[in-house]
Amino acid sequence: VSPAALEEQRIGLLGGTGDQGRGLARRFGLAGLQVSVGSRDPERAERVAAELRASAPQARIDGLPNAAVAEQCDLVVVAVPWDGHATLLRELAGRLSGRLVVDCVNPLTFDERGPRALPVPEGSAAEQAAALLPDSTVVAAFHHVSAVLLLDPAVDAIDCDVLVLGDDRSATDRVQALAELIPGVRGIFGGRLRNAAQVEALTANLLAINRRHRAHAGIRVTGL
Ligand SMILES: NC(=O)c1ccc[n+]([C@@H]2O[C@H](COP(=O)([O-])OP(=O)(O)OC[C@H]3O[C@@H](n4cnc5c(N)ncnc54)[C@H](OP(=O)(O)O)[C@@H]3O)[C@@H](O)[C@H]2O)c1
C-alpha cells in the first residue's frame, strides 16, 4: 500500500477530541491525509479540529459527530476510553459496516499501586470490537505510541514500533503503511486478533515504566 493511496483516503477518529485522537489526527494530518475528528459533541469536534489546524496549517482536518465520522470515513480509529468502548461501537455498528476499524483501546484501570490490565470477556478490546462489528474489518494498532509525543510540536520523529494485529492481511498491510506515515515509526505485523490481549495489557507495563522514569516509553522489536 503506497502512501499515495493512503493520502486519497479519509481517516476518522472516534473520540478524536482526547489526547490520543488529537495526537494521531495531528500526525496523519501532517502526513497529508484528510482527517475527521469525531466527538459526541459536534461543537467540541469542530473546536478541536480548528486547534489542530492552527498548529498544523497545511493539515486537512475537520470535526464531526462520531456518527458522521463512522459513515463518511474509509478507515476509522477507535480512540475512546475502555469504559465507553462497547456502548459506542454497538451504537455505530451499522454505520461502520464495510469500514476498516482500527482499535487502539487499552482496557486498563488505575489504583494507588499504579496501572493494571483488566480482564475482557471477549479476550481483548479488539476482539470485543470484532464481535460487535461483524460487518467491519477490525485491526488492532497504536496501543503503545504516546499521545504526549504525538502532540508535541518539538518531536519530529517518534522512536517506536507500532504492533499491528488482525486477521485480514490486506487490512493489516494498510494499517502498517498508515503507521509508517508517522516519522520514526515502523509498523510491524504482530499476529492475529486473538493475540491482541497481551499487546493491550503490555501498555500497563509501559505506563509503569513511564512513572518510574518520568518518560514516554515505546517499544522496539529487534532482529528484523
Ligand atoms: N493517551 C495515550 O497516550 C494513549 C496511547 C495509546 C492508546 N490509548 C488509548 O486510546 C484511548 C483514548 O485515550 P485518551 O487518553 O485520548 O482518552 P480520553 O482523552 O480520556 O478520551 C478520548 C475521548 O473519548 C471520548 N469519550 C470519553 N468517554 C466516552 C464514552 N463513555 N463514550 C464515548 N466517548 C467517550 C471523549 O470525547 P468527546 O467527549 O468529545 O466525545 C474524549 O475526548 C484509550 O482507550 C487509551 O487506552 C491512549
Side-chain angles (χ1 to χ4, degrees):
V1 183
S2 73
L6 279 166
E7 274 168 32
E8 286 151 27
Q9 295 172 22
R10 189 157 160 199
I11 309 288
L13 296 120
L14 302 176
T17 57
D19 288 347
Q20 184 71 348
R22 286 185 301 121
L24 290 172
R26 179 167 186 282
R27 297 291 168 169
F28 296 151
L30 285 171
L33 305 190
Q34 192 182 335
V35 181
S36 294
V37 168
S39 170
R40 293 168 295 183
D41 175 347
E43 281 176 22
R44 186 156 48 241
E46 279 176 25
R47 192 176 66 239
V48 167
E51 286 165 10
L52 289 166
R53 285 195 304 271
S55 79
Q58 71 275 41
R60 295 177 296 159
I61 303 179
D62 62 8
L64 296 172
N66 283 327
V69 165
E71 227 159 49
Q72 295 174 24
C73 295
D74 311 293
L75 188 155
V76 177
V77 180
V78 189
V80 296
W82 168 239
D83 61 6
H85 184 255
T87 308
L88 182 74
L89 294 185
R90 204 172 282 120
E91 199 179 289
L92 297 180
R95 291 183 168 92
L96 287 169
S97 170
R99 306 275 177 260
L100 173 46
V101 175
V102 179
D103 204 300
C104 72
V105 171
N106 295 307
L108 300 177
T109 188
F110 299 83
D111 61 20
E112 67 290 347
R113 295 164 70 197
R116 179 170 64 89
L118 289 168
V120 177
E122 294 85 352
S124 61
E127 287 166 288
Q128 181 183 80
L132 292 169
L133 307 174
D135 300 321
S136 309
T137 303
V138 175
V139 167
F142 301 110
H143 306 88
H144 306 143
V145 59
S146 154
V148 174
L149 299 181
L150 289 170
L151 282 166
D152 188 342
V155 174
D156 293 329
I158 300 187
D159 180 21
C160 79
D161 289 336
V162 164
L163 293 180
V164 178
L165 294 89
D167 298 337
D168 178 315
R169 175 73 187 259
S170 69
T172 55
D173 284 352
R174 263 174 84 184
V175 178
Q176 280 178 254
L178 178 68
E180 294 190 352
L181 294 178
I182 303 172
V185 168
R186 216 170 35 160
I188 297 181
F189 176 67
R192 289 181 177 265
L193 225 48
R194 66 184 186 181
N195 292 311
Q198 54 272 28
V199 171
E200 295 170 5
L202 182 64
T203 307
N205 305 81
L206 282 175
L207 291 172
I209 292 167
N210 287 343
R211 282 190 176 197
R212 179 67 58 94
H213 293 274
R214 297 185 190 283
H216 303 291
I219 62 153
R220 278 293 190 201
V221 176
T222 61
L224 299 181

